[in-house]
Amino acid sequence: MSGDRPTLPPVRLNSEAELARDALSAPLLARAVRLARWAGPDTRVGAGGELVEEQLPAAATELGLGDDQDGPAYASEAWRVAVDTGLVDVQDAPEASGDEDEDGEGTASVGENLGVLTAGSPSDVLAIWLDAFDVVFADATAPMIDDFADLVGEDGEIDFERLEWDPEEEADFLEGVLGNLYLLTVSEGGTPEGPVPLPALAASMIVPDDMGEPTDDILEQVSDAMMRLDDQFRLLEPIGLVEYEPVDEALMAEVGDEPAPPVDDEDVARYGMVRLTPLGLYGVRARMLEAGVDAPAVGDLADKGADALLDGIAYFPEFSARAETEQWLARRQPADAARELLAAARGNDAGGPLRRLHCQQALALTGASAEPAVRQVLPDPELGGLARVWLAERGALDVPPPSETMIFWLAIDTIAAQLAVEGDLEELQELVEGLVGQHSGFFDAAWRVEHPATADVLEAMGRLHPDKSTAKDARKAAFKARSRV
């Protein structure tokens, strides 16, 4: 596979307006907004900007969680998001004199970003949501501390080594999980498929690709990873990143604290199911792009030139390539689009055949007003063949027949394009058999074709054709083509 190919399939994202609405309705961000509006002169915060413990019940009540025993914890989490996303501004306590309490309390007020969130553009809203996602991501990769006192050394200082926690390793693990979930979630059509079983997601991070039957040690690591992910997805769901069905707590009661991975599909849902939401696809892709990962989205090429379009969709799945092309065509007049596409399809470089294939597919989506531009290239040795195909498919009259040279050049070019995309082997074999069967003495003429891929195509035909004698003729023709060069 070419190193120029994108490593991820293109994703079909919802519009920014739809995504912004999803962001505003995410439970955690909605709670952060309510607390930002609630904040005032009487709001008391600690040295780190956190609400003081005495104010957490009032904050929970503001969120409608006053009767929930976890209400204060939810309020604390939402407040932290409000502070870290700029929905709330925190003012530190005045500096204390030497004989006053050093742990003075600060105050809070409405932050500038609250106005941006309520009156800004969809992209403004999404930028704030991404900041909130970062806050939750940091929480999800933070260590679990059962007893803080156990971390305090004899000198009264916190001994972080006792945590056995590597923040970079934890972040890399969750980034990898979300990357795998993104890949597993995006179908070839560029849209989300069904939920992913948690055991499969955990195994994708633990089990080596070349391992057959997992060992007991590997299965134990998968179980550990499942429990780790169960906690993390419970944190990520309220920000709107995922839809998550947690691990059935009854399983842990049955087999202890860590359930073994399921051995069949009957009860796989009990082990946790997760899928990225449309907003989650947007968020994970944003992090990938920031990290320099090639994560294309349908629509990225709509405002670019035809050369960028044909190169960009070169290895897209068929459905995504069509969707991208439709968006590109929608912004142009058919005649102008046809001229631009045909000009971009020229070239005897290695990518030329694939550009011409996608050019032909793009022209198939245009109307009759593209005909004059197509007729202009009828004499062109590179484009004349595909122009005749386009005109014939529309029943056009007065189309001059192609020369034998053009027929064989188009045959070589077509097979070269199919080889480049590593298409369906059976379809490729049928194409090869069909071309050879339609033209007597095919290889006697084909090896003389002035095309940079002639020898490679003939060698491939030798491998693909089921008839041994014909395959031998193809290999001989390939040798002649190389010798001629």
Side-chain angles (χ1 to χ4, degrees):
M1 180 176 287
S2 169
D4 294 332
R5 302 189 186 189
T7 56
L8 294 168
V11 61
R12 292 176 62 87
L13 294 175
N14 287 354
S15 69
E16 284 198 341
E18 292 173 303
L19 294 170
R21 285 194 292 271
D22 291 344
L24 291 171
S25 63
L28 183 52
L29 188 58
R31 290 172 185 167
V33 169
R34 291 184 66 175
L35 290 185
R37 291 174 175 152
W38 167 79
D42 297 330
T43 307
R44 296 149 51 208
V45 299
E50 74 283 0
L51 279 175
V52 297
E53 189 171 351
E54 293 81 5
Q55 291 226 289
L56 288 175
T61 300
E62 177 65 23
L63 296 176
L65 301 171
D67 296 331
D68 189 328
Q69 65 176 0
D70 294 324
Y74 291 137
S76 177
E77 180 185 31
W79 180 261
R80 186 166 59 256
V81 169
V83 171
D84 289 349
T85 57
L87 302 180
V88 168
D89 283 339
V90 171
Q91 293 80 42
D92 295 334
E95 290 188 13
S97 59
D99 55 354
E100 291 180 349
D101 185 0
E102 294 183 357
D103 297 326
E105 295 175 353
T107 58
S109 60
V110 172
E112 181 181 350
N113 275 352
L114 182 60
V116 174
L117 198 62
T118 55
S121 66
S123 60
D124 293 332
V125 172
L126 291 171
I128 293 174
W129 180 84
L130 286 172
D131 289 341
F133 175 24
D134 287 342
V135 175
V136 179
F137 184 94
D139 286 346
T141 56
M144 301 291 290
I145 302 175
D146 296 324
D147 190 347
F148 192 78
D150 291 341
L151 301 179
V152 179
E154 295 179 358
D155 57 358
E157 298 292 327
I158 298 175
D159 185 359
F160 287 101
E161 291 187 2
R162 295 187 186 184
L163 286 173
E164 297 182 352
W165 172 64
D166 183 334
E168 185 175 342
E169 181 179 312
E170 289 293 330
D172 287 346
F173 177 81
L174 186 53
E175 292 280 15
V177 166
L178 293 177
N180 285 353
L181 181 58
Y182 182 96
L183 183 58
L184 292 168
T185 301
V186 179
S187 72
E188 285 205 343
T191 54
E193 291 184 334
V196 177
L198 197 61
L201 191 56
S204 73
M205 295 296 296
I206 302 299
V207 181
D209 292 337
D210 57 353
M211 175 172 281
E213 188 72 20
T215 63
D216 289 343
D217 178 62
I218 289 293
L219 290 176
E220 184 177 350
Q221 291 181 50
V222 171
S223 294
D224 290 343
M226 285 170 55
M227 291 299 93
R228 186 174 172 190
L229 291 174
D230 183 62
D231 290 333
Q232 290 173 328
F233 285 132
R234 288 173 191 261
L235 289 173
L236 292 167
E237 185 175 34
I239 199 59
L241 192 82
V242 295
E243 293 175 2
Y244 182 53
E245 183 178 339
V247 175
D248 187 345
E249 293 184 2
L251 286 173
M252 289 181 275
E254 292 170 8
V255 297
D257 291 335
E258 295 177 356
V263 295
D264 56 48
D265 294 334
E266 289 185 7
D267 61 348
V268 69
R270 298 181 66 197
Y271 290 81
M273 301 288 285
V274 62
R275 67 184 291 271
L276 286 171
T277 63
L279 183 61
L281 284 169
Y282 167 83
V284 174
R285 178 175 179 264
R287 292 183 71 93
M288 288 179 169
L289 293 176
E290 187 177 353
V293 176
D294 182 11
V298 173
D300 283 351
L301 305 173
D303 59 350
K304 300 186 184 304
D307 52 347
L309 173 73
L310 297 181
D311 286 337
I313 65 174
Y315 301 105
F316 275 20
E318 183 177 351
F319 183 90
S320 298
R322 182 186 176 96
E324 185 71 58
T325 303
E326 287 174 341
Q327 292 195 31
W328 189 89
L329 289 170
R331 300 193 182 191
R332 293 160 177 82
Q333 293 298 320
D336 294 337
R339 278 191 290 271
E340 192 175 344
L341 286 165
L342 288 164
R346 287 189 175 92
N348 60 4
D349 57 294
L354 206 48
R355 286 199 305 276
R356 286 183 282 276
L357 172 64
H358 286 296
C359 173
Q360 185 169 350
Q361 292 170 344
L363 289 173
L365 303 176
T366 61
S369 55
E371 182 170 335
V374 175
R375 283 187 176 274
Q376 285 180 354
V377 301
L378 283 173
D380 190 294
E382 292 184 5
L383 304 178
L386 69 85
R388 284 168 171 79
V389 171
W390 187 91
L391 291 166
E393 288 174 346
R394 279 154 186 76
L397 303 176
D398 302 325
V399 180
S403 66
E404 182 177 275
T405 299
M406 183 173 286
I407 291 173
F408 282 95
W409 194 95
L410 181 60
I412 295 295
D413 201 57
T414 300
I415 297 177
Q418 295 297 331
L419 290 171
V421 294
E422 299 175 2
D424 182 85
L425 181 60
E426 186 174 339
E427 291 182 4
L428 195 53
Q429 286 177 326
E430 290 177 359
L431 174 62
V432 168
E433 290 182 62
L435 286 171
V436 175
Q438 289 173 10
H439 304 282
S440 59
F442 178 90
F443 297 113
D444 289 337
W447 71 267
R448 295 181 171 87
V449 171
E450 296 288 343
H451 190 294
T454 296
D456 291 336
V457 164
L458 292 172
E459 281 185 359
M461 293 179 77
R463 295 192 301 271
L464 291 167
H465 204 288
D467 180 75
K468 291 183 178 180
S469 176
T470 304
K472 184 177 180 180
D473 290 341
R475 290 192 293 271
K476 286 181 179 178
F479 178 78
K480 289 181 180 179
R482 293 200 188 281
S483 299
R484 179 170 56 84
V485 174

